[in-house]
Amino acid sequence: MRNVRALISYDGSKFYGWQRQAGFHSVQEGLEHALLALTGQSIVVHGSSRTDTGVHALGQVAHFRLDTRLTDDRLRHALNFYLEEGVVIRRLETAPEDFHARFSALGKRYMYVTATTRFRPPFGVQYSHWVPQALALADMRAAARVLVGEHDFSAFASSGSPRRTNVRRVRSLHIIPRRERFALVIEGNGFLYNMVRTIAGTLIEVGKGSLSAADVERILRSADRSQAGPTAPAEGLYLVAVRYAERPFRGRDRGERGVPGLFGY
Amino acid sequence: MRNVRALISYDGSKFYGWQRQAGFHSVQEGLEHALLALTGQSIVVHGSSRTDTGVHALGQVAHFRLDTRLTDDRLRHALNFYLEEGVVIRRLETAPEDFHARFSALGKRYMYVTATTRFRPPFGVQYSHWVPQALALADMRAAARVLVGEHDFSAFASSGSPRRTNVRRVRSLHIIPRRERFALVIEGNGFLYNMVRTIAGTLIEVGKGSLSAADVERILRSADRSQAGPTAPAEGLYLVAVRYAERPFRGRDRGERGVPGLFGY
């Protein structure tokens, strides 16, 4: 049995999230169907993150075990043939026996995209949040600096599955403008449920002038979710990359590209 | 009664084309509904072009007559409030009494976007055509030069409404690559039914090596539609701009932007 890992992109608007659930079409189910169609075997796919409905992935990582004589490239090509529109395996390689997409992960990078045009952009409603005003990006950056580092992020977490601790390390948080859009790019060793979307929603309030960097510091210390801003909607969120000790998917590859370029990010 | 002209963008995947038709939701109908909701009057909207189902517009132009005390900016804002997702009035201004979106038009610019990634891009299936191979863009440019100028384009027209003449002047035809996509940008004084999509489909055959520039010259001279390549699908086509003698919509405006940026074009 080979342990195989895959780098996967998907349009979150076409799926009910990553995780398999009865009666709803998920990315995990789509991949498992493709594996069944190709091999005749029922194979479980393990993802690094259970992205919610509407949340996109540029670089989700998953692993699965299977028995096949296909080379990595032919396996990827065959699986992409069986996958439906809206999901693609960008890279695929045989992994060390002990590689686990979720438990081996050391960190993740997410991007949250918001348009700030006066009128709702007619294209790509499903790919970006929209706020009908210019935001004070410098104030948002000042507030973002408060969040970088190791903190208890309880104030920015929706009550999801209970965790041992709500302490996480945010390695970096950048705000990158492109025309009348901006991306908030955040890296950390792990994220609580809805943490990126709540940080985005809170920093947008800062950009509007409703909250200050000092308010964000107070909110963080309060560890009280009711203090923070709203959870920004799913359509703006992208899982960009997952970090592992051994840096997988390294070589250049034609099939890898073609995914970025959306809105110039 | 004021004669008003509007610069309109829309996501063609959300409408059954521009033109009103019973039982199908069109852009024209959406605009007329917004005008009815705002003014209580049944107002007919005249567009420059009847784009097909799935065809997008960055700069469709339309005119309509109405009786209102609203300023141009307030009228635009109010109409955008009533318009549904996927269509927006970018600019709006009072036009000369004799301005007609269709009959005053001197020319149009279209863009045809094709991705050439090995696997189908997971995002924006509705915004771009896809060919799973790299194309010989230099050969396509050589063939494109054959089409520039005044010619009988019968070989590149689907049988639509009969015309007095099939002679049209193509002012320019450029092929602009961006990462693993390219846009074919074509300007002319008028286009026959499906002419841009048939030119795109034929030039893609050149890019694949199935046709040469000499073949395209022969096809053009044949005036025989069965000689040309396939009609490329609607999702790659954008009406970019309409040209008029007086160059409308000139001043800068915040509401205008935010539309480009899709795939970096």
Side-chain angles (χ1 to χ4, degrees):
Chain A
M1 293 289 268
R2 232 155 89 202
N3 192 20
V4 167
R5 64 187 165 206
L7 184 68
I8 302 162
S9 290
Y10 48 85
D11 177 342
S13 70
K14 302 211 191 281
F15 299 93
Y16 284 89
W18 167 266
Q19 193 172 26
R20 195 178 349 97
Q21 44 184 326
F24 294 94
H25 187 51
S26 66
V27 181
Q28 186 189 4
E29 186 196 17
L31 288 160
E32 291 175 353
H33 270 174
L35 280 162
L36 180 64
L38 178 66
T39 66
Q41 304 164 44
S42 280
I43 293 167
V44 176
V45 174
H46 301 269
S48 74
S49 312
R50 296 178 198 141
T51 54
D52 282 337
T53 300
V55 174
H56 312 288
L58 300 174
Q60 169 75 285
V61 176
H63 81 277
F64 45 88
R65 286 167 198 281
L66 83 171
D67 199 9
T68 176
R69 281 194 232 166
L70 292 173
T71 63
D72 288 345
D73 191 65
R74 284 193 152 285
L75 179 57
R76 175 175 65 144
H77 204 92
L79 289 173
N80 277 333
F81 175 81
Y82 286 109
L83 284 172
E84 68 261 73
E85 274 186 11
V87 52
V88 71
I89 298 178
R90 291 165 63 182
R91 308 294 292 270
L92 185 149
E93 63 189 23
T94 299
E97 195 46 41
D98 63 349
F99 176 84
H100 191 289
R102 186 163 163 217
F103 301 129
S104 306
L106 299 180
K108 280 165 200 157
R109 188 191 304 154
Y110 283 94
M111 169 169 87
Y112 195 90
V113 179
T114 306
T116 55
T117 46
R118 178 172 171 194
F119 301 115
R120 185 187 286 278
F123 296 97
V125 167
Q126 65 276 47
Y127 301 133
S128 163
H129 180 37
W130 171 61
V131 176
Q133 63 183 94
L135 299 177
L137 298 189
D139 294 348
M140 293 172 67
R141 288 191 181 109
R145 279 194 289 274
V146 169
L147 301 173
V148 174
E150 195 166 270
H151 304 287
D152 180 324
F153 281 97
S154 298
F156 296 91
S158 300
S159 49
S161 39
R163 298 275 178 176
R164 226 170 348 115
T165 168
N166 286 339
V167 173
R168 295 291 183 277
R169 171 174 289 280
V170 170
R171 288 170 187 280
S172 64
L173 207 178
H174 295 289
I175 290 169
I176 304 168
R178 285 266 191 293
R179 296 186 188 170
E180 291 187 273
R181 284 197 177 81
F182 69 90
L184 184 159
V185 179
I186 187 167
E187 272 192 69
N189 64 354
F191 292 91
L192 303 170
Y193 187 56
N194 274 346
M195 179 170 150
V196 179
R197 288 167 56 186
T198 309
I199 287 175
T202 303
L203 292 181
I204 286 167
E205 291 304 306
V206 172
K208 287 176 178 172
S210 316
L211 292 174
S212 68
D215 290 329
V216 172
E217 188 152 16
R218 182 183 49 71
I219 291 163
L220 180 65
R221 295 222 176 118
S222 77
D224 174 6
R225 173 65 188 87
S226 72
Q227 301 289 308
T231 303
E235 59 262 31
L237 186 60
Y238 295 75
L239 172 58
V240 175
V242 187
R243 204 161 55 82
Y244 297 95
E246 74 270 35
R247 304 234 272 132
F249 311 117
R250 259 184 290 185
R252 287 199 85 227
D253 186 289
R254 222 195 132 232
E256 179 200 12
R257 294 174 296 158
V259 171
L262 195 75
F263 308 132
Y265 289 107
Chain B
M1 294 291 269
R2 233 153 90 201
N3 191 20
V4 167
R5 63 187 166 206
L7 185 67
I8 302 162
S9 290
Y10 48 84
D11 177 341
S13 70
K14 302 212 191 281
F15 300 93
Y16 283 91
W18 167 266
Q19 193 171 26
R20 195 179 348 99
Q21 44 184 325
F24 294 95
H25 187 52
S26 66
V27 182
Q28 185 188 5
E29 185 197 19
L31 288 160
E32 291 175 353
H33 269 173
L35 281 161
L36 180 65
L38 178 67
T39 66
Q41 304 163 43
S42 280
I43 294 168
V44 176
V45 174
H46 301 270
S48 74
S49 312
R50 296 179 198 139
T51 54
D52 281 338
T53 300
V55 174
H56 312 289
L58 300 174
Q60 169 74 285
V61 176
H63 82 277
F64 44 90
R65 284 165 201 281
L66 86 170
D67 199 9
T68 176
R69 282 194 231 165
L70 293 173
T71 63
D72 288 345
D73 191 63
R74 284 192 153 285
L75 178 58
R76 174 177 64 146
H77 204 92
L79 288 173
N80 276 334
F81 175 82
Y82 286 110
L83 284 172
E84 68 261 74
E85 276 186 9
V87 52
V88 70
I89 298 178
R90 292 167 61 183
R91 309 293 294 269
L92 184 150
E93 63 189 22
T94 300
E97 195 46 39
D98 62 348
F99 176 83
H100 190 290
R102 184 162 164 219
F103 300 128
S104 306
L106 298 180
K108 280 167 199 152
R109 188 191 305 155
Y110 284 93
M111 169 168 88
Y112 195 89
V113 178
T114 306
T116 54
T117 46
R118 178 172 170 195
F119 301 115
R120 184 187 288 278
F123 296 98
V125 167
Q126 65 275 46
Y127 300 134
S128 164
H129 179 37
W130 171 61
V131 176
Q133 63 182 94
L135 299 177
L137 299 188
D139 294 348
M140 293 172 68
R141 288 191 180 108
R145 278 193 288 276
V146 169
L147 301 173
V148 174
E150 195 165 271
H151 304 286
D152 181 323
F153 281 97
S154 298
F156 296 91
S158 299
S159 48
S161 40
R163 300 273 178 176
R164 225 170 349 118
T165 168
N166 286 340
V167 173
R168 295 291 183 275
R169 170 173 290 278
V170 169
R171 287 171 187 279
S172 63
L173 206 178
H174 295 289
I175 289 169
I176 304 168
R178 286 264 191 292
R179 296 185 189 174
E180 290 188 273
R181 283 195 178 81
F182 70 89
L184 183 160
V185 179
I186 186 167
E187 272 191 69
N189 64 352
F191 292 91
L192 303 170
Y193 187 57
N194 275 345
M195 180 170 151
V196 179
R197 289 168 56 186
T198 309
I199 287 175
T202 304
L203 292 181
I204 286 168
E205 291 304 307
V206 173
K208 288 175 178 172
S210 315
L211 292 174
S212 68
D215 290 328
V216 172
E217 188 152 15
R218 183 183 48 71
I219 291 164
L220 179 66
R221 295 221 175 119
S222 78
D224 173 5
R225 173 64 188 90
S226 72
Q227 302 289 307
T231 303
E235 59 262 29
L237 186 60
Y238 295 75
L239 172 58
V240 175
V242 187
R243 203 160 56 83
Y244 297 95
E246 73 270 35
R247 301 235 274 132
F249 312 117
R250 258 183 290 184
R252 287 199 83 227
D253 185 291
R254 224 197 130 231
E256 179 201 11
R257 296 174 294 157
V259 171
L262 196 75
F263 308 131
Y265 289 108

